[in-house]
Structures are given as C-alpha cells and as structure tokens.
Amino acid sequence: MFQVKSIKIDIFEMGKISRSEEIVKKQVLVLYVGGTIGMKKNDDGVYVPVPHIFYDQLKSLPEMHDSGLASKYFPDLADNQLVLPQFENNVILYQLVEYDPLLDSSNLTMSDWIKMANDIKANYNDFNGIVILHGTDTLAYTSSVLSFMIKGLQKPVIVTGAQISIFEIRSDAINNIQNSLILAGCYQIPEICAFFDHKLLRGNRTTKVRLTKFNAYRSPNYGPLANAETAIELKDGNIMKPDPAVPFEVTTTLNSNVRVITFFPTITPSMLESVLQEPTAGVVIQSYGAGNIPSNQPELIDALKKAVARNVLIVNITVCLQGSVVSIYDTGKVLADIGVISGRDMTLEAALTKLCVVLGYPDLSHDQRVELLKQNMRGELTPLDVTDDNNNNNNNNL
Ligand code: ASP
C-alpha cells in the first residue's frame, strides 16, 4: 500500500515558470458494484454488466489514466491501480475493486449493502476517500442505507453511476467518476454522498427522479454539498461537522422485515392488514400531502392501531417529493394520535433503510428505537424546530 504523503518537486515549464510546487499524493478506493456505467448490450439487445473489461477501458482513456504521471510517481503500479490526470497539486492514485458478480442495481439485495459496508470498513484507514460505482436504479437506497450503517465517518464515501455506459459515446461516466475521485480524494466531506451531473448530494437526501436525463437525481429537501461546474464549490454550510470523538463504527445487522404502504383512495383495511401482519417489524407509510390518510374510515385506523400495539414501528412520510409531514389536518393528526412516527421530510429510501438499520440494532428497547427514528441521525430529516431557511434548503428548482 502506498503511503499518503507529499513530496516536493521542481516544475520548469517551457522556460516560463520556475518554481517549487508541492505535489500531494492521494489515494481513493473504487468499489465497482455494477450498473449502466459499465454495461454493454447482450445478444438480446439489452444492457447487462460485463465482467473484467472496466479496468482496461479506464486505462485506455487519457481522462482517466495518466501513464506519464503513473510512471513518475507510482512506478510499481499494481494491476488494479490507475492514476488520474493531475488536479491542482494533487495526484490521485485509485484502485479498482470489481465486484463478482457485477449487478444491475435492480438486482441488489441487503447482502450487497452489507458487503459494501464491510469493504468500506476494511479499507477505511488506507484511503483518503472511497467511490462506489453503482447502477442508478437503487443508488439512493444504497447511499441511504450506508449512511445509517456507518457511524463516525470522517472521510468522503461517494456513490455514483452513469446514464450512458463508459463504452459508448457521450457517456457521462467520465465526468461522474473524475469528479467523484477528486471530491473523495482531495476534500474533507465526512459524509456518504451521491454524485451525479455536477452535483454532490447528501446520500440519504437523494432520490432518482428522472429516467433518461443526465440530472437524474434530486435532493428535494436539502441543498447540495458541492457543485462541480467549471470550479468545484463546496457548500460548507450544508456539510456535516462530525464530532471527532465519535469512533468509526459499522453495523451490519439489518432487519429485512420492513414494508412500504402507499395510500391511494381505494385502499381497503384487508390490504393494510396483509402488509402489517407478522413478521412485519417496520412500515413506511407514504401518505398524502402533509401526512394525511382517510380519517373517516375507522377500520383503516384500527388496522394501524393494532400494528402499533404489537410494537410494529410505523413511520409516516409524504408521497410528495418536497415538504415535511406535519399534523395540520385531522387526517394527519389521526396517525400521530395512534403512535405513528412522523418521518418529517425523509425520502422513501431514507425512511425504509433507517427502519432496516434501527430495527437491526441488537439490544435496544422498543422505546429507544422509536426515539432514534424520530431523531435526525445522519442529516436525513429536518427536525420540527428547523425552518426551511436555516435548513439551507435552496434546492427548489425541481
Ligand atoms: N438498471 C441500471 C442499474 O440500476 C440502470 C443504471 O445504472 O442507470 O443498474
């Protein structure tokens, strides 16, 4: 493993400049999980991940690998390492770890989240930051669940992907990988993030809103952490300031007995009951507007009430993309009154994965789990006493 260190070199360029400049070596681990970013069409004409070709493709692209810098600073390059062209005074060495099998992210399961979390844990001390190359379909679930699984994070972990494969013309892969490597290698952003289309977003505030556009993601209730346009501009006020005294820890015990109920006008009590029955341990309700459900149908309320009495944890979020659950109508207060927890402005991805993690913690009482769900654990929700203005919520251009 290379040491992260800085070295002095003399730069003498075309007789114009003669000065001493500090070159800083950075190291980034890249976990390549799968996704369109590395896919090709198969014989049926549909996209699938193809193993063992991504590294060579990166190596062949001058934007992704600078062989001159590599031989100058890293003459003993391993066969999964590459060197990004110099960014300011940083030379970033990155190491690609390809998952086996590579996955379309629609095929990901909980065990893949656990594998990623374990890989982050195993390599955390050896790298300046970590980048995960991931399919776009469930990227927001992964960036959300990792944020809850990992505590005391002091370095960037950036999940990114692409809408067009790196093997095709007009791919957005190069831009997304380059910026993710630079942000992960050279900046102090102690968060699980999602990078896409020139924006760095908080992972557990991110959701996929567009199928075919390059700007596929939005963070509807929280401002970006950074913009990577012609200059990289960090939004310091939006970035977490973790307590250095909190040790780095990864939890890998997740509870999969978590469901989602989206309300719709023709929902029946028996539909609700079938989702709420054992072994269901946690439920995310996607309600209307400010957190409302039909309050004039006692059987629906009763089904929820019985589940709460069995200690099923029920978190209420709004089906609206933007805004926060608040009891301003009788149709919303009815949920709060029976012990349903307000999920405030959490995304579906954040609410579901938070439940998986909080229910998975061993040795917690039911009341402690309820308290954690109400809390802003990793910047995933805006507490009741924080207004939109001091939430830095300047991301209203949906
Ligand atoms: N189905 C792909 C995936 O999520 C879509 C993508 O990567 O853009 O893996």
Side-chain angles (χ1 to χ4, degrees):
M1 200 64 67
F2 289 98
Q3 286 296 304
V4 178
K5 61 182 180 197
S6 70
I7 52 164
K8 284 260 192 192
I9 59 157
D10 277 328
I11 291 188
F12 182 75
E13 249 188 290
M14 294 190 292
K16 281 190 295 187
I17 313 162
S18 179
R19 63 195 166 88
S20 183
E21 188 168 302
E22 186 113 329
I23 287 290
V24 186
K25 290 182 185 176
K26 305 283 188 177
Q27 290 187 83
V28 177
L29 176 69
V30 179
L31 302 176
Y32 171 34
V33 176
T36 295
I37 196 162
M39 287 191 187
K40 285 190 168 188
K41 281 190 178 169
N42 69 6
D43 293 344
D44 294 330
V46 293
Y47 283 103
V48 288
V50 182
H52 313 307
I53 57 171
F54 199 76
Y55 174 82
D56 287 343
Q57 178 71 357
L58 289 175
K59 199 168 184 179
S60 73
L61 296 168
E63 304 96 317
M64 296 309 310
H65 177 64
D66 186 324
S67 51
L69 275 186
S71 48
K72 189 167 178 184
Y73 296 116
F74 304 102
D76 303 323
L77 208 65
D79 60 7
N80 65 346
Q81 290 178 324
L82 294 160
V83 179
L84 199 68
Q86 190 169 331
F87 169 71
E88 297 176 346
N89 62 336
N90 301 290
V91 175
I92 301 173
L93 172 77
Y94 63 105
Q95 180 161 324
L96 185 78
V97 174
E98 181 171 310
Y99 275 29
D100 178 19
L102 290 169
L103 290 172
D104 184 308
S105 74
S106 297
N107 287 331
L108 249 80
T109 63
M110 210 168 244
S111 62
D112 300 300
W113 296 341
I114 293 169
K115 174 165 171 42
M116 285 181 245
N118 279 331
D119 284 345
I120 292 169
K121 184 178 175 183
N123 293 284
Y124 184 73
N125 291 327
D126 298 328
F127 294 88
N128 296 88
I130 296 174
V131 170
I132 300 178
L133 305 181
H134 196 288
T136 63
D137 288 347
T138 65
L139 186 152
Y141 284 96
T142 295
S143 59
S144 295
V145 77
L146 291 176
S147 80
F148 298 116
M149 292 170 86
I150 299 173
K151 196 173 161 188
L153 187 71
Q154 300 284 347
K155 299 177 178 186
V157 174
I158 302 179
V159 193
T160 191
Q163 293 281 48
I164 300 180
S165 166
I166 199 166
F167 296 99
E168 295 184 8
I169 193 153
R170 299 185 60 253
S171 172
D172 47 338
I174 293 171
N175 190 284
N176 288 345
I177 303 173
Q178 270 187 346
N179 279 302
S180 297
L181 286 170
I182 288 168
L183 286 160
C186 311
Y187 291 87
Q188 289 299 320
I189 307 168
E191 298 212 24
I192 305 285
C193 316
F195 185 88
F196 226 82
D197 190 41
H198 304 103
K199 285 215 174 339
L200 188 73
L201 307 173
R202 176 168 295 164
N204 59 31
R205 291 287 197 158
T206 300
T207 191
K208 186 176 178 181
V209 294
R210 295 190 181 94
L211 196 55
T212 55
K213 304 272 186 187
F214 286 132
N215 60 348
Y217 292 91
R218 275 286 175 266
S219 167
N221 292 305
Y222 197 75
L225 305 182
N227 291 325
E229 302 286 344
T230 52
I232 290 182
E233 185 199 352
L234 252 54
K235 300 283 185 186
D236 284 325
N238 290 351
I239 296 172
M240 262 184 229
K241 318 270 176 302
D243 179 352
V246 175
F248 174 76
E249 269 171 36
V250 177
T251 179
T252 51
T253 50
L254 303 181
N255 188 324
S256 62
N257 292 320
V258 174
R259 324 272 184 250
V260 179
I261 298 172
T262 303
F263 268 80
F264 49 95
T266 54
I267 197 166
T268 63
S270 64
M271 289 178 195
L272 262 189
E273 279 156 8
S274 73
V275 181
L276 292 166
Q277 72 191 355
E278 302 246 19
T280 296
V283 174
V284 180
I285 285 182
Q286 280 194 300
S287 55
Y288 310 122
N292 308 323
I293 64 158
S295 59
N296 58 354
Q297 295 184 45
E299 300 87 352
L300 286 178
I301 311 296
D302 242 36
L304 293 167
K305 214 174 173 172
K306 281 185 193 142
V308 172
R310 286 198 341 261
N311 283 353
V312 175
L313 292 170
I314 308 182
V315 175
N316 181 24
I317 60 168
T318 171
V319 79
C320 297
L321 186 56
Q322 194 167 52
S324 198
V325 164
V326 55
S327 297
I328 54 168
Y329 294 96
D330 183 48
T331 48
K333 185 173 173 295
V334 74
L335 286 176
D337 287 349
I338 62 167
V340 169
I341 300 157
S342 169
R344 302 287 301 154
D345 54 356
M346 269 192 287
T347 60
L348 170 63
E349 295 89 335
L352 182 122
T353 58
K354 187 176 181 181
L355 269 170
C356 294
V357 173
V358 168
L359 279 161
Y361 283 138
D363 310 326
L364 285 189
S365 69
H366 175 73
D367 289 350
Q368 285 171 317
R369 294 187 210 278
V370 171
E371 262 328 291
L372 273 180
L373 286 166
K374 288 181 183 167
Q375 273 175 27
N376 182 19
M377 273 175 74
R378 304 277 196 274
E380 73 281 5
L381 60 77
T382 310
L384 190 57
D385 53 355
V386 177
T387 64
D388 271 3
D389 287 347
N390 58 20
N391 187 30
N392 304 300
N393 180 14
N394 48 11
N395 191 19
N396 288 322
N397 52 338
L398 291 172

